[in-house]
Amino acid sequence: MAFSRTGIVVGVVALAAAAGLGWLALRPQPVPVDLAEVTRGALEVTVNAEGTTRIRDIFEVSAPVAGRVLRSPVTVGQAVVAGETVVALIEPGEPAFLDARSRLQAEAAVREAEAAMDLARANASAARTALALSEAQEERLERLYTRGSLPEADMERARLDRLSKQAQLEAALAELALRESSLERQRAMLIGPTAGGDAPARPGAEACCMSLTAPVRGHVLSLANASARMVSPGTPLMEIGRPDDLEIVVDLRSTDAGRLRAGAVARVERWGGEGVLQARLREIEPAAFTRVSALGIEEQRVRAVLDLETPPEGREGLGHAFRVFVRVVEWQGEDIVSVPLSALFRRGEGWAVYEAEAGIAVLREVEPGRRTETRAEIRAGLSAGAQVITNPSDRVAPGVPVVYRADMR
């Protein structure tokens, strides 16, 4: 059987094509992956938490005496000057209501005081008459003594009697003044409250009101109650402070607070304005407290206080009790090799990554160091510029072909 040269060539080509298609079908397909570059540069580790602003020194104005505080002459946000701006006015409180028994007792006391005053007035009149009689007797005896018809002893007794009668009159007049004051006091017990406390004062009564001035320069932060009301000594009236003198209070987990030191640099974000504010950790309180998280887990928290270093003109709009987000720098370094956290995975007791080298996944055991929210320091096992696979799936293994997912689009 004869075959032509052309038929043989066609057969060889067909067999080669079939073999190539079979090899392509059996060759492993590249696994799509996401890649990230190993970088070298600055890296810092921060402790992040939400905090609250507060004015450093808040002064609370309270009522020094009991009385009726009038409607507040200042409003929230108003600027006040120390020792000049009147922030509260307190007038005497209204007398209490008298029940039937108390009123009868008070009226009886008034009648008793009136009778005592009548008696004191009569005693004063009698003492005045006795003094007039003694003075007349002294004058008669003085004439006789001058002519030599009266012994000196009788004249001396007359003078002493006049002095005694004069002292008795002064005592009677003092007793009369005492009884008048007692009557006035008993009559005052019958005074009841006026309607609404706004009636004019009684004739002869002096108007009395205490003015309280601002203890410091600043702004009114809050009013306990702007309306007029009765207050007792120590009742809070308002709070005054300087909105430009702010600090930040942050509740940190005790495990995080133990890694920080006073003087650490901090950045304030999400404060309501543009840009990032600069702050510095001033102190960490020595005692922790327990707080229950939203998941019902008890956590030991420590309160940290930070000073704002950005000047007031750079944080306009930031006020007292505003919520902010704070990053406190725990550690920072230069010329640090780092990879995304998503590239690391556990391998036995250590850590490893997959490096994409010429389209092939290569397993690299690494020694990670400090970590941030997104990156980890690599102390050994990788060099800057390498491409590592992030979030490797279970299809990725040593020697498996890989392809950058972005190149497939």
Side-chain angles (χ1 to χ4, degrees):
M1 186 176 198
F3 294 96
S4 66
R5 186 184 299 272
T6 302
I8 294 174
V9 172
V10 171
V12 171
V13 172
L15 287 174
L21 290 174
W23 181 80
L24 289 175
L26 295 176
R27 190 184 68 171
Q29 296 298 315
V31 178
V33 294
D34 294 318
L35 299 178
E37 183 179 356
V38 179
T39 61
R40 179 186 295 273
L43 186 69
E44 65 179 21
V45 179
T46 60
V47 174
N48 306 328
E50 288 189 342
T52 305
T53 62
R54 72 179 182 189
I55 293 178
R56 192 185 309 274
D57 295 314
I58 297 178
F59 294 83
E60 184 179 78
V61 179
S62 58
V65 295
R68 179 173 180 266
V69 62
L70 303 182
R71 185 168 182 83
S72 176
V74 295
T75 58
V76 175
Q78 179 176 335
V80 295
V81 180
E84 296 183 10
T85 306
V86 176
V87 296
L89 295 170
I90 303 177
E91 65 179 11
E94 289 291 314
F97 282 105
L98 296 177
D99 55 30
R101 182 174 65 179
S102 298
R103 178 166 290 279
L104 289 175
Q105 290 176 341
E107 291 173 349
V110 169
R111 291 193 296 270
E112 180 182 355
E114 289 174 344
M117 193 180 71
D118 291 339
L119 178 60
R121 189 180 292 113
N123 291 336
S125 179
R128 190 177 291 107
T129 301
L131 176 61
L133 180 60
S134 179
E135 288 175 346
Q137 179 67 13
E138 183 183 12
E139 289 178 0
R140 287 192 299 271
L141 294 179
E142 181 72 27
R143 288 193 295 271
L144 292 175
Y145 176 75
T146 303
R147 291 196 298 266
S149 302
L150 185 71
E152 185 176 356
D154 292 343
M155 187 64 223
E156 188 66 26
R157 281 193 294 270
R159 289 196 187 98
L160 292 177
D161 183 69
R162 190 257 305 169
L163 292 175
S164 176
K165 293 300 188 293
Q166 186 175 357
Q168 291 176 7
L169 176 59
E170 291 176 356
L173 293 176
E175 178 71 16
L176 178 59
L178 175 65
R179 297 304 177 185
E180 288 178 348
S181 299
S182 178
L183 176 60
E184 188 70 18
R185 177 169 55 84
Q186 297 299 334
R187 284 174 175 169
M189 297 299 295
L190 291 172
I191 298 176
T194 56
D198 296 325
R202 294 184 301 104
E206 296 182 359
C208 176
C209 195
M210 175 181 287
S211 299
L212 301 182
T213 57
V216 293
R217 179 182 65 85
H219 290 74
V220 178
L221 303 179
S222 64
L223 292 174
N225 194 326
S227 301
R229 68 194 190 282
M230 298 298 296
V231 295
S232 58
T235 301
L237 302 178
M238 67 188 65
E239 290 183 340
I240 297 176
R242 293 177 51 191
D244 58 342
D245 188 19
L246 290 175
E247 62 185 12
I248 299 175
V249 180
V250 182
D251 292 342
L252 302 174
R253 289 194 297 268
S254 58
T255 53
D256 292 336
R259 306 197 309 266
L260 299 177
R261 296 293 179 268
V265 176
R267 292 188 296 275
V268 183
E269 305 172 356
R270 304 205 296 266
W271 57 277
E274 296 182 357
V276 177
L277 306 181
Q278 302 300 316
R280 190 172 295 274
L281 180 63
R282 184 171 83 232
E283 64 176 350
I284 298 176
E285 295 184 356
F289 57 91
T290 302
R291 191 177 72 179
V292 180
S293 68
L295 299 177
I297 301 173
E298 289 188 354
E299 297 177 337
Q300 290 303 111
R301 293 276 176 166
V302 181
R303 186 168 287 112
V305 183
L306 297 91
D307 292 325
L308 277 169
E309 295 187 337
T310 301
E313 54 270 17
R315 46 183 167 89
E316 293 183 359
L318 186 63
H320 178 65
F322 280 37
R323 184 181 295 273
V324 295
F325 186 80
V326 178
R327 299 180 186 272
V328 184
V329 178
E330 174 192 345
W331 172 88
Q332 57 185 355
E334 302 292 335
D335 198 26
I336 303 299
V337 176
S338 64
V339 298
L341 279 178
S342 57
L344 287 171
F345 60 89
R346 296 291 295 185
R347 178 174 171 81
E349 296 296 326
W351 294 87
V353 299
Y354 280 116
E355 179 183 354
E357 189 175 293
I360 302 298
V362 179
L363 182 67
R364 303 290 189 192
E365 293 186 354
V366 296
E367 180 186 349
R370 298 177 181 270
R371 304 183 185 188
T372 68
E373 289 182 322
T374 57
R375 301 189 71 83
E377 175 190 10
I378 299 298
R379 295 174 177 172
L382 282 176
S383 58
Q387 298 289 326
V388 294
I389 300 174
T390 59
N391 301 305
S393 66
D394 54 359
R395 297 174 57 191
V396 179
V400 171
V402 293
V403 61
Y404 187 28
R405 198 185 308 274
D407 293 341
M408 300 175 60
R409 297 173 183 173

